[in-house]
Amino acid sequence: KAQSNKKIQEKTAEINGFVQELIHSSTQDIFAIEVKDSEFYLEDFTEKIILGYREKCSLNHVIFEIEDRKNVLLKGDIDRAYEAVGNLMENAFKYGDGRKITLSFSEEEYCILLHIKNTGIPVSENEMAHLFESFFRGSNAQSRQGSGLGLYICREIMQKMGGDIYAARQDFGMEFVLVFRIC
């Protein structure tokens, strides 16, 4: 029996080593995300989002509203910015109630804020502090596939572009805000 316990402990240590290596290599890939130091117009970016998600919203009977905006030149990488928005949109489909997704815009201190709101039950107040941590999955993610890296990747992308991302619980659901610097 002692020999059996020793083998179990050895195998457990080996598995833990593999898991730690996997976590390390996953986060190393995220840190290797390259962001072009470039510029793009908000209108071009918005059109890219519309082209990417209008049909999916329509097919899923999700109301997709995009509010008016001012066309300004933003600093950053349009493809990486779209990747961040894509993570948020996919989360809205996955965790929202399927009724409505809204994109709105505001301006603050030489920045454009892109607000992505979806209807549904927001994450708990306790989970808010952990949303952007790697491998964190909220209690609403039980049966849904995912790695817990989407919001973490969004934050990495936005910070590498000199911007930011934050989340807020709303009565109607969740709101994520991407902060882009104006050129």
Side-chain angles (χ1 to χ4, degrees):
K1 186 167 181 156
Q3 183 69 6
S4 176
N5 283 343
K6 184 178 180 187
K7 280 199 179 278
I8 290 172
Q9 288 175 342
E10 288 172 1
K11 291 296 181 185
T12 301
E14 185 178 357
I15 291 169
N16 282 337
F18 289 141
V19 169
Q20 291 302 318
E21 188 177 315
L22 178 64
I23 290 171
H24 177 73
S25 83
S26 293
T27 53
Q28 288 305 102
D29 289 345
I30 292 166
F31 290 128
I33 290 174
E34 290 187 27
V35 174
K36 288 185 275 184
D37 185 20
S38 187
E39 301 169 344
F40 59 92
Y41 281 100
L42 179 58
E43 193 57 36
D44 294 337
F45 183 47
T46 305
E47 283 301 313
K48 187 172 180 130
I49 296 167
I50 292 168
L51 286 171
Y53 286 97
R54 180 189 301 145
E55 185 175 355
K56 183 171 184 172
C57 286
S58 178
L59 291 172
N60 287 288
H61 306 290
V62 175
I63 297 168
F64 186 38
E65 286 185 354
I66 301 170
E67 297 182 1
D68 290 338
R69 63 220 158 259
K70 181 170 82 172
N71 191 22
V72 295
L73 190 61
L74 303 175
K75 292 212 48 86
D77 182 332
I78 192 170
D79 294 323
R80 289 299 187 179
Y82 182 74
E83 185 179 339
V85 168
N87 277 330
L88 298 176
M89 291 293 291
E90 293 304 322
N91 281 355
F93 283 110
K94 196 184 298 186
Y95 304 115
D97 64 9
R99 288 192 343 236
K100 186 175 182 180
I101 299 172
T102 304
L103 273 58
S104 61
F105 306 84
S106 61
E107 189 172 342
E108 211 174 273
E109 298 179 15
Y110 307 106
C111 292
I112 290 292
L113 282 61
L114 168 55
H115 306 258
I116 299 175
K117 304 170 194 169
N118 67 276
T119 54
I121 298 170
V123 298
S124 75
E125 191 67 46
N126 293 339
E127 293 174 325
M128 287 296 292
H130 305 286
L131 277 182
F132 297 101
E133 293 176 5
S134 60
F135 302 106
F136 176 78
R137 301 201 65 215
S139 59
N140 62 344
Q142 304 115 332
S143 63
R144 295 172 180 98
Q145 285 192 325
S147 63
L149 288 172
L151 294 176
Y152 179 77
I153 291 169
C154 286
R155 175 162 278 167
E156 288 298 312
I157 289 170
M158 294 309 298
Q159 289 179 344
K160 286 184 177 192
M161 289 193 304
D164 206 353
I165 182 174
Y166 59 91
R169 292 168 36 98
Q170 303 291 333
D171 292 337
F172 58 81
M174 287 297 295
E175 175 180 17
F176 289 88
V177 181
L178 298 172
V179 180
F180 294 94
R181 292 182 312 155
I182 297 173
C183 290

